[in-house]
Amino acid sequence: MSTWNNYVESELLSKGISDGAIIGTDGTVWGKSKTFPATAAELKVFISKFEDLEALAESGIIMGGTKYFYLSSDHDVIRASKGKASLHAMKLKKLYIIALYNNQEFPTPKAANTVEKLGNYLAQYGH
């Protein structure tokens, strides 16, 4: 198992996130949970929408065939949801962290804290 898979397992899944991935800015998967559903094409579109919030707000994000509706964002974080299914993603200099979770089983503020804590840790090391 790669170091990136270890981060996904120990810092996302073990904290309550259902599925997660760390991907490079080119869409290459660095590490992911075993059941992370997104395709390579979906990840490339995700990256382009992270850079174009207007497109994101208009059409949402598709991961694993599920369309998540844009909720909010700031400079480096996107929040989206479809019913109980939620997505919280964070952009760093060299990578993106994507977390998928059930917002009735795992509260959104806790998911945000989990993702952003890992992101802030990795950012300290230049990622």
Side-chain angles (χ1 to χ4, degrees), residues 47-107:
I47 289 170
S48 71
K49 287 188 177 180
F50 215 109
E51 301 302 323
D52 183 359
L53 292 180
E54 188 173 314
L56 175 62
E58 289 176 3
S59 59
I61 301 170
I62 297 175
M63 289 277 168
T66 299
K67 182 177 181 178
Y68 294 86
F69 297 94
Y70 172 79
L71 296 175
S72 64
S73 62
D74 58 34
H75 176 68
D76 57 358
V77 173
I78 290 177
R79 298 160 205 89
S81 184
K82 179 180 181 178
K84 294 184 265 186
S86 291
L87 176 148
H88 192 93
M90 184 173 187
K91 177 184 176 185
L92 283 73
K93 188 187 316 181
K94 298 179 182 177
L95 59 85
Y96 295 84
I97 301 169
I98 305 168
L100 306 176
Y101 62 97
N102 180 321
N103 60 37
Q104 292 187 335
E105 296 173 8
F106 193 71

Side-chain angles (χ1 to χ4, degrees), residues 21-53:
I22 297 173
I23 65 171
T25 55
D26 63 353
T28 303
V29 175
W30 293 7
K32 67 181 186 73
S33 56
K34 291 179 180 130
T35 58
F36 186 73
T39 65
E42 289 171 338
L43 293 174
K44 290 203 184 270
V45 171
F46 161 80
I47 289 170
S48 71
K49 287 188 177 180
F50 215 109
E51 301 302 323
D52 183 359
L53 292 180

